[in-house]
Amino acid sequence: MARQVVEATGAREVEIGVLLGAGERHGPAALEWTLDGLGELGPAWRMPFPGGERTVHGFPFSDQHTLPATLRLDRVRTGLALDSRLLTALLPAAARVRHRLRPLTKVHVGSDRFAVTVRTGGVTASFSGRRQSRATGVVAALLVQRLPELPEGVWHVEQVVAPGPFLAEVADHGFAYDAPR
């Protein structure tokens, strides 16, 4: 989606918001990664998601490091919100005590809904649904199917697939894709 909004606008900066359902179950490595990421929580801003605008807190998703190189961007800002507005508001406090939160990783409060929104230059795109982990698996499976036609070497997804058709195909597996608008 980042590639799509950049190609549509020519913008050099991108904002990405990730809204995760706190009720989805994740493995221990994913939970550890998330708790570690709270240690790098940054400033908050507002992002539009399907269903309404939400506050996201700066979070160290890898896109902020990879997209400047692959899409030749000046700045990428990535943020996290949880489906519970209260839990989202508590993220800065949780960041300060993140090492004491490990016992809470077994508690699942909220839904399994997720959304990702990308915005730049007045253009927004989003992808949403239930079970973010399943969506990740669908993306991986569809990429594996394309391996014979992809160039050799190490690439990021946005470098080797046409985003619109690919995201539409992923959406066909029970997700919603709102193309750039």
Side-chain angles (χ1 to χ4, degrees):
M1 287 188 305
R3 178 176 151 194
Q4 282 187 297
V5 297
V6 166
E7 288 176 350
T9 64
R12 308 271 309 158
E13 296 186 1
V14 171
E15 293 179 319
I16 301 171
V18 178
L19 175 66
L20 296 178
E24 184 170 357
R25 298 187 189 291
H26 297 282
L31 296 171
E32 283 292 322
W33 178 85
T34 303
L35 289 175
D36 287 346
L38 289 177
E40 297 180 43
L41 209 62
W45 71 92
R46 304 284 291 170
M47 283 291 289
F49 289 100
E53 192 171 87
R54 297 289 305 274
T55 297
V56 296
H57 295 273
F59 194 84
F61 291 110
S62 64
D63 306 86
Q64 68 182 332
H65 303 291
T66 60
L67 292 176
T70 62
L71 298 179
R72 294 186 171 92
L73 300 175
D74 294 332
R75 179 174 174 234
V76 175
R77 186 162 71 152
T78 57
L80 171 68
L82 300 174
D83 58 344
S84 162
R85 291 177 191 273
L86 175 61
L87 290 178
T88 300
L90 291 173
L91 283 175
R96 291 189 292 276
V97 296
R98 68 188 180 283
H99 299 297
R100 291 187 228 145
L101 297 178
R102 282 175 178 63
L104 295 178
T105 60
K106 296 185 183 352
V107 177
H108 302 284
V109 179
S111 74
D112 63 355
R113 296 193 111 6
F114 75 93
V116 178
T117 297
V118 180
R119 173 175 67 184
T120 189
V123 173
T124 301
S126 65
F127 192 89
S128 60
R130 298 181 64 165
R131 298 177 50 213
Q132 166 268 319
S133 299
R134 181 176 171 275
T136 301
V138 169
V139 167
L142 293 174
L143 287 170
V144 167
Q145 288 177 344
R146 286 172 169 72
L147 279 177
E149 63 197 53
L150 297 178
E152 291 183 17
V154 178
W155 302 94
H156 292 276
V157 176
E158 70 274 5
Q159 295 176 293
V160 294
V161 298
F166 183 75
L167 290 166
E169 185 177 356
V170 176
D172 286 344
H173 291 267
F175 304 101
Y177 166 55
D178 296 314
R181 60 190 185 296

